[in-house]
Every structure is written in structure tokens, then in C-alpha cells.
Amino acid sequence: MEKSQKINPFILHILQELDEEIKKGLEGGITLNIAGNNRLVLVERVTSEDFWILSRILKNCLYINGLDVGYNLISDVGAYYAARLLQKQLYLTYLNLMFNDIGPEGGELIAKALHKNQTLKYLRMTGNKIENTGGMFFAAMLQINSSLEKLDLGDCDLGMQSVIAIATVLTRNQAIKAINLNRPILYGEQEESTVHVGCMLKENHCLVALHMCKHDMKNSGIQQLCDALYLNSSLRYLDVSCNKITHDGMVYVADVLKSNTTLEVIDLSFNRIEDAGANYLSEALTSHNRNLKALSVVSNNIKGEGLVALSQSMKTNLTFSHIYIWGNKFDEATCIAYSHLIQTGRLKPDNTDVEPFVVDGHVYLAEVSNGLKKHYYWTSTYGESYDHSSNAGYALVPVGQQP
């Protein structure tokens, strides 16, 4: 009213609900969800002007420690107000700005605001095209900030220079526990980024989760990471999905699993490890490794033999509790093997992405919406947004501040 600005009914509705919660005597710790992809509520997406008003309201609000404004229209102008909010709001520990049309200039503003901020624990910049320029400002921020624990820069069009800079800074930064560097824009076949990430893993003893999806990583790249994992004693969650790793790369993964005692979750989805790669993994999990809890081999062109071998390793390795296999080629032996695991209770239905059913006396497998991180880009239209079965990776390896 003060600024004669049109009221966004979606924000008004959310704030009225918040008032009701506060009247009930809630002490705090609320995450305000104003995401623009909510299909259950009539949404008018938040613009930069709306976010300015919102930031003014939240500046001194003690009850709010989380803010989700993903999938809106905040842009670089709104990023300026987000940066101001980070400088003045001393209670905010979680901020989700994913897919908000924020570019390099907005990325610079937010990164510089974090030079002095000592309260924010988790920042999601996913899908904002901050590019190499913005990525370099975040690398510089990581040299100064000592409180941020989780940083998501997935799908931000980072370049080779910024990925290498971030990896280099993380050799010294002892605060970041989870970093997401998914889908950078890389040119060249030398896999320099993977080499530098490998060097970082040898030096860093704080990082718990590393996401390197869509890095165009080949067998030489996974070899670099595995060489580092012999010396690393902190990493528990490794995501190398959507790359170009074949069964030859699984030789290195299987070998490191025989000696590494910290890895608990590995996501190999959407590679091409085939039966031979699955057999290498199975042999390591059956006879050597007793630490890995979850493995995803979704869409890896594995046929019956490799999938059956992995099911057999679950019988002897009782720590190995989660496996995701959809998108491979199921023969009858595979269907029977996983049906038996589920029916005997060795494999819980929530811990896999398949469910057995019988037609004319033959066992088949149907897909179930479970996974390591099903709700990375979206949330379900009903039920819990962050339930354990759909986000098993985060449930098994909880890192710092949760949304």
C-alpha cells in the first residue's frame, strides 16, 4: 500500500497462512514456500518488484529461517534485493533461487553478499545462467565465506575456468560439505575439470557430497576421481550420472570400493557400464566392501547377467540396502531375482525403483517412483515433498541444513 504496488495474491495467501501459524504460538524455524511451480495453489509468479516488497517484509522476521522462491521471475533486479536480504536478515539459513532468470550480474551480487553473511547454510542457484563470469565470483566467495555448507550451482552454464577455480578453492575451504557442479559448459576432450576435482578430493577432508552429472566424463575421468578416493576419507555421496563411463571405468570404481571405507551412495545412472561393469561392482560388493548402502545403475544397458549378479551381492552384503535398476533390459531371471529379494524382505519396496507383478505365471517388474534424487527439479503434487523413498541419497547422507 505504501508503494501503491499491485498485491500478488499468491504471496498474500502465503503470508496470511504464516500469520495463522504465528498466532498458534509457533516459535520459529519456518521455511516459506513461494515456489512458482506449485500446482496445488493458484500461483502468480513472483517478479523482481514482488520480491523487493517480500524482502522488506522478511528483513526483520524472526520466524523465517528458510525461503523457497524457485521457478519465479526474479531476474537480476530481484537478485539485487536477494543480496540485500542476505546482508540484513540474520536468521535465514536456507535460500532457494533456482530457475529465476538470474544472470552473471545477479550471480555477482549474491556471491558478494555472501562475503560477509555468516548465517546462510544452504544456497540453491540451480538453473540460473550465471555462466563462467558468475561462477568465478562464487569461487572468490568460497575463499572468504566460512559458514556456507551446501552450494548448488547445477545447470548454471559454468565454464571450465570457473569449475577449475571452484575445485581449487575447495582444497582449502573446510566449510562446504556438499557441492553441485552439474552440467557445466565444457569444451575439449582433456577432462581438465575432472583432473582438478580429483586433486581437490586428495586435499579436502570436509566434502561429504559431490555431484558431477553431465560432465561428459569418460573412463579416464572416473579414473582420476577414483585415484583420489583412495586418499579421501570424507566423501560419502558421489554422483557421476549422465556421463560416458563404460565397463572399463567400472574396474577403477570396483577397485576403490575394495579399500575405501567412507563411500555410502554412488549414482551411476545413465552411463553405459553394461553387464561387465555390473559384474565388477557385484564382485567388489560381495567379497570386499561393507560400507556402500545405495547404488543406482538406471539406464546402463545392463542385461540379465549383470543385474542378477548385483541381486546376489545383496544376499551376502547386508549393508547394501538400496538399488535402482530401471531402464535396463530385464530377462526372466532378473525379474525372479528381484521379486525374491522383495518378497523375502531383504530388499524393502521403498529402497528400489521396481515392483514385481505376475501375468500368466511369469514374473515381471514395473517402475516405481523411487530414487536417489527424484525431486531435484520438481516436487510431488501430494504427500511429502522430500520423502525418503524419492530422495534416498539425501536421506542416507544428510548434509548440513535441510530445506
Side-chain angles (χ1 to χ4, degrees):
M1 290 172 66
E2 199 179 295
K3 299 294 177 184
S4 303
Q5 186 172 319
K6 176 179 169 287
I7 294 172
N8 184 319
F10 179 42
I11 297 178
L12 183 62
H13 171 71
I14 296 292
L15 293 177
Q16 286 171 341
E17 285 188 341
L18 175 61
D19 283 339
E20 292 299 319
E21 292 290 328
I22 292 170
K23 285 175 186 174
K24 292 176 184 174
L26 198 68
E27 292 182 1
I30 300 171
T31 294
L32 203 59
N33 186 355
I34 313 180
N37 63 338
N38 191 329
R39 288 177 284 176
L40 298 180
V41 180
L42 185 63
V43 171
E44 183 178 318
R45 297 202 173 186
V46 179
T47 64
S48 54
E49 291 80 9
D50 293 330
F51 191 77
W52 173 60
I53 298 291
L54 185 63
S55 65
R56 291 280 298 274
I57 294 167
L58 298 181
K59 188 168 63 175
N60 299 310
C61 188
L62 309 179
Y63 298 94
I64 307 295
N65 70 355
L67 177 61
D68 182 348
V69 285
Y71 294 97
N72 282 298
L73 305 169
I74 289 173
S75 73
D76 284 342
V77 176
Y80 169 78
Y81 300 120
R84 293 279 298 274
L85 185 65
L86 287 171
Q87 289 170 335
K88 296 184 178 181
Q89 221 278 19
L90 302 179
Y91 309 98
L92 205 64
T93 58
Y94 168 60
L95 179 60
N96 185 347
L97 294 169
M98 66 190 297
F99 292 98
N100 260 296
D101 294 330
I102 296 172
E105 291 179 9
E108 177 184 353
L109 291 168
I110 291 166
K112 286 183 174 178
L114 289 171
H115 284 205
K116 295 181 179 178
N117 180 289
Q118 294 297 314
T119 54
L120 196 73
K121 301 293 184 185
Y122 183 11
L123 174 64
R124 289 198 72 177
M125 290 292 292
T126 322
N128 293 299
K129 309 306 180 187
I130 63 171
E131 301 176 355
N132 197 62
T133 306
M136 292 301 291
F137 284 109
F138 273 93
M141 176 274 293
L142 290 173
Q143 290 183 297
I144 299 166
N145 185 290
S146 60
S147 59
L148 195 67
E149 295 180 350
K150 296 169 71 175
L151 177 60
D152 192 334
L153 296 175
D155 300 274
C156 285
D157 288 4
L158 300 179
M160 180 71 78
Q161 184 187 14
S162 55
V163 172
I164 291 174
I166 290 168
T168 304
V169 170
L170 288 180
T171 59
R172 302 292 180 194
N173 183 298
Q174 296 301 307
I176 291 287
K177 293 182 172 64
I179 187 85
N180 189 321
L181 299 172
N182 288 353
R183 214 221 64 180
I185 306 297
L186 305 177
Y187 299 99
E189 298 293 322
Q190 302 303 312
E191 298 196 58
E192 295 99 324
S193 62
T194 315
V195 172
H196 283 82
V197 171
C199 292
M200 177 271 290
L201 287 174
K202 292 177 183 177
E203 301 289 330
N204 184 295
H205 300 292
C206 182
L207 196 67
V208 174
L210 172 64
H211 297 269
M212 295 183 69
C213 174
K214 302 176 188 173
H215 264 249
D216 203 25
M217 191 186 305
K218 303 174 187 70
N219 294 330
S220 57
I222 194 67
Q223 181 182 10
Q224 294 286 343
L225 295 184
C226 289
D227 287 348
L229 289 173
Y230 286 106
L231 303 174
N232 184 284
S233 58
S234 65
L235 196 73
R236 295 165 58 199
Y237 187 166
L238 176 63
D239 176 7
V240 288
S241 56
C242 304
N243 282 297
K244 296 180 178 178
I245 304 166
T246 70
H247 56 83
D248 290 334
M250 289 305 99
V251 174
Y252 308 118
V253 177
D255 282 346
V256 85
L257 283 174
K258 293 175 183 178
S259 60
N260 183 288
T261 57
T262 53
L263 273 175
E264 295 178 7
V265 179
I266 299 181
D267 192 346
L268 292 163
S269 307
F270 304 100
N271 283 285
R272 289 190 68 83
I273 71 171
E274 302 177 318
D275 280 327
N279 284 328
Y280 291 136
L281 293 173
S282 173
E283 191 267 330
L285 292 170
T286 301
S287 56
H288 298 86
N289 185 282
R290 289 296 180 271
N291 299 288
L292 196 75
K293 296 177 180 177
L295 173 68
S296 178
V297 290
V298 170
S299 296
N300 264 280
N301 198 33
I302 307 172
K303 299 171 186 175
E305 179 194 342
L307 294 172
V308 170
L310 286 172
S311 74
Q312 293 299 319
S313 63
M314 293 199 87
K315 293 181 179 179
T316 55
N317 186 340
L318 299 181
T319 310
F320 186 25
S321 57
H322 295 64
I323 187 165
Y324 304 94
I325 60 171
W326 186 257
N328 294 296
K329 299 178 181 178
F330 301 153
D331 60 6
E332 191 165 10
T334 302
C335 296
I336 291 170
Y338 284 89
S339 174
H340 179 71
L341 285 175
I342 293 169
Q343 288 171 356
T344 57
R346 174 61 191 91
L347 179 59
K348 293 180 180 178
D350 282 350
N351 294 355
T352 186
D353 58 350
V354 294
E355 183 178 52
F357 65 98
V358 180
V359 176
D360 295 335
H362 294 281
V363 180
Y364 299 92
L365 296 176
E367 185 182 14
V368 181
S369 187
N370 296 332
L372 291 177
K373 51 185 179 73
K374 278 279 184 179
H375 294 169
Y376 177 65
Y377 291 108
W378 60 281
T379 54
S380 54
T381 53
Y382 63 91
E384 289 290 326
S385 296
Y386 297 96
D387 63 289
H388 290 180
S389 60
S390 294
N391 297 283
Y394 302 131
L396 290 168
V397 184
V399 181
Q401 173 73 25
Q402 297 298 307

